[in-house]
Amino acid sequence: MSNIGKFQDRNPGVRPAGVVTTIPDDSTRACVQPPPPRESTPEKIRKYRKSFNDEPGMKQIHYGIVDDPLPAETFTYGKKTYKSDHVHQIIGPNRNQGLGQFQTGLKEQKYASSIKEPLGKGFERGYSYPQEVNTSDFKFGQQTVPSESSKVLIFPPNGRREEPEEVRKLYFISHGVTEAGEQMSRNYNWPINKNDHRFGMPDPPELNGVAMALRPETYGSSHPKTEIIKKTVEDFRNANHEELGKSKNLGTGLNNADSNRVFGVPTYKEPWDAGQCIRGNPAPQELAPDKDLGKSTRFGFRNDFKPGDEVRQFGVPTIRNDIEKKSFKSVADPNNYGDEASVVQLLYPDYWLRFGINQSEFTRPRDVEEIRSLFEAIGMPMGKGKSITISNKAYDMFGVVSLESFIHGLRWYEERGLH
């Protein structure tokens, strides 16, 4: 029997207590008397489950060795270390002296390094120089022929050329070149006069800066205070520290030796002087050329000449005339096709480069009508017959009709009084 409509909610804004659930067995009895636990996984199957190694305190063990018996607690894993030389014997200095050193020297006499490079001496090739080499004014090499200095090439004395202002501006736009001492102007709209204004904050002037740097203890509060210490401390410092201009006191007492006395053992004087050490006294077999002179000692790189290769030039030429130049050269193309600028052109750029015209435009093959239109554009009109005659002469002289060859043909035409 339903109670709907029989009660009135006097506090509609208060949430009712408790939770309404439809889950079975979710009651107080189920909480006080929980059901018996479910059956666990059998031990013989449990080791194959992923949750076996995830339990707290469990070691990650493969299921194949879980049931294997462990060795005794006194069992030692690893391999036993064999006895060998100690560290101080390996790292320590070589004390091969006396008879042992003499025996080592006899064993090493057969090595080429001991013959050519004896211990304590330089590499001896055993060259036999003529008597002229022994003179004091002899010098190796070839005297450098004097030539023009790089300053004259880069900054010629008469290299300045007066140009119109509009031409100079075009050269600045194309190459970014300015005159010597010219200020770089980016045409900013400054609210101030940039020529009179100074940016930043000035440092306050400081008087007697050099005196303060040389004698800082006499200024301000940096003057050191006088401290009184014990005489034992002063004696310890004098005995353990080095005084300026004196050797360290090693506690051996006063040295009353003569000031001219020389300590140590005198150096053994060899019969050879510095000149003999440089020139040497080589044996005949040491003066002989190496057996592999002029031959490659690397396996696989011994290129022997074949019949007909005596005048052959190996390698790739610097200027690649053996391959065809593409119409549009890539930036990543490292080849030189013979059309790059020389050093003289880099130091003294051509006049037409200032207007963005490349030198190749004058040597490129052109049609006669195109050349006529270019001459008419600069105020030099010519007839069709005259242009054909000049172009034929240019082709006979240079084998191609271009602006450069056409100009030479025009000179030939005018020198003979033709019109």
Side-chain angles (χ1 to χ4, degrees):
M1 184 176 180
S2 176
N3 295 324
I4 298 176
K6 295 182 179 180
F7 300 96
Q8 182 180 1
D9 189 2
R10 302 183 180 273
N11 298 302
V14 179
R15 188 182 61 179
V19 177
V20 179
T21 178
T22 58
I23 300 176
D25 297 335
D26 189 8
S27 60
T28 305
R29 179 181 177 183
C31 294
V32 176
Q33 296 179 357
R38 295 180 298 175
E39 295 182 0
S40 59
T41 305
E43 290 295 334
K44 60 181 181 179
I45 302 177
R46 182 167 170 267
K47 61 181 180 180
Y48 299 104
R49 299 180 62 89
K50 293 182 178 180
S51 59
F52 176 74
N53 290 328
D54 295 340
E55 297 182 4
M58 287 293 296
K59 184 186 297 184
Q60 300 291 330
I61 303 176
H62 191 265
Y63 56 82
I65 61 175
V66 171
D67 300 330
D68 294 346
L70 296 177
E73 297 181 355
T74 58
F75 180 78
T76 303
Y77 293 89
K79 185 179 180 182
K80 185 178 180 180
T81 304
Y82 297 102
K83 293 183 179 181
S84 61
D85 296 335
H86 297 282
V87 178
H88 69 277
Q89 297 176 353
I90 302 300
I91 303 179
N94 186 9
R95 303 184 182 275
N96 190 7
Q97 298 176 358
L99 183 59
Q101 184 178 4
F102 177 74
Q103 293 178 352
T104 304
L106 293 178
K107 295 178 181 178
E108 294 182 352
Q109 285 182 356
K110 61 182 179 180
Y111 296 111
S113 59
S114 299
I115 299 174
K116 296 182 179 180
E117 300 182 35
L119 186 62
K121 297 182 181 180
F123 187 83
E124 299 180 359
R125 295 184 181 272
Y127 295 152
S128 180
Y129 295 105
Q131 294 298 329
E132 291 79 0
V133 180
N134 299 329
T135 58
S136 59
D137 57 346
F138 180 79
K139 297 180 177 61
F140 289 93
Q142 186 176 0
Q143 186 178 3
T144 304
V145 180
S147 60
E148 295 180 349
S149 62
S150 58
K151 180 180 178 181
V152 178
L153 294 176
I154 299 176
F155 302 102
N158 300 324
R160 181 177 176 84
R161 181 183 299 175
E162 298 293 340
E163 298 176 346
E165 183 65 21
E166 56 273 9
V167 176
R168 190 186 68 81
K169 291 182 178 179
L170 289 175
Y171 202 61
F172 171 76
I173 295 174
S174 60
H175 293 75
V177 177
T178 59
E179 296 292 339
E182 181 181 357
Q183 183 182 9
M184 178 65 71
S185 177
R186 300 185 183 276
N187 298 326
Y188 291 156
N189 186 14
W190 294 94
I192 56 175
N193 187 0
K194 63 182 180 63
N195 297 325
D196 299 334
H197 185 74
R198 296 293 182 270
F199 296 90
M201 181 180 296
D203 294 334
E206 191 168 341
L207 302 177
N208 300 328
V210 179
M212 294 177 62
L214 297 177
R215 297 182 297 175
E217 69 277 358
T218 59
Y219 289 87
S221 59
S222 61
H223 195 283
K225 297 181 179 180
T226 303
E227 296 182 2
I228 300 176
I229 60 177
K230 296 182 179 180
K231 186 178 182 301
T232 55
V233 178
E234 187 67 18
D235 295 340
F236 177 80
R237 185 176 63 181
N238 295 334
N240 290 273
H241 293 76
E242 300 178 6
E243 298 183 14
L244 184 61
K246 296 182 180 180
S247 60
K248 185 178 180 181
N249 184 10
L250 300 178
T252 56
L254 299 177
N255 188 4
N256 298 324
D258 187 9
S259 59
N260 297 325
R261 179 181 177 184
V262 180
F263 294 89
V265 180
T267 304
Y268 176 73
K269 296 183 179 180
E270 292 284 349
W272 283 27
D273 55 3
Q276 291 177 334
C277 291
I278 296 175
R279 292 188 297 270
N281 187 15
Q285 62 271 17
E286 295 178 350
L287 295 176
D290 296 338
K291 296 181 180 179
D292 55 355
L293 183 63
K295 299 181 180 179
S296 176
T297 58
R298 186 176 179 184
F299 182 77
F301 288 81
R302 302 168 184 171
N303 300 325
D304 297 331
F305 286 98
K306 299 179 181 179
D309 291 344
E310 290 77 10
V311 295
R312 177 185 174 187
Q313 295 180 355
F314 295 90
V316 180
T318 304
I319 300 178
R320 301 304 302 271
N321 296 326
D322 55 332
I323 57 178
E324 183 181 357
K325 180 184 176 181
K326 298 181 180 179
S327 57
F328 294 96
K329 183 179 179 181
S330 174
V331 179
D333 190 358
N335 297 321
N336 181 8
Y337 298 96
D339 55 352
E340 297 184 0
S342 60
V343 178
V344 178
Q345 293 175 345
L346 294 176
L347 295 176
Y348 305 100
D350 192 75
Y351 177 77
W352 301 104
L353 291 176
R354 304 173 185 177
F355 300 95
I357 302 176
N358 195 358
Q359 184 67 24
S360 61
E361 296 293 333
F362 295 91
T363 58
R364 183 170 61 86
R366 298 178 184 269
D367 188 68
V368 180
E369 294 297 330
E370 183 181 0
I371 297 177
R372 283 185 58 198
S373 62
L374 293 176
F375 275 86
E376 290 179 359
I378 61 176
M380 294 179 60
M382 61 180 64
K384 185 175 182 181
K386 178 180 178 180
S387 60
I388 294 176
T389 303
I390 296 174
S391 62
N392 292 335
K393 183 61 180 177
Y395 186 81
D396 295 338
M397 296 171 62
F398 298 95
V400 66
V401 180
S402 61
L403 283 177
E404 185 177 1
S405 62
F406 192 87
I407 292 174
H408 287 282
L410 180 61
R411 292 177 181 174
W412 172 86
Y413 189 86
E414 293 177 350
E415 287 175 357
R416 283 155 179 76
L418 303 177
H419 298 286

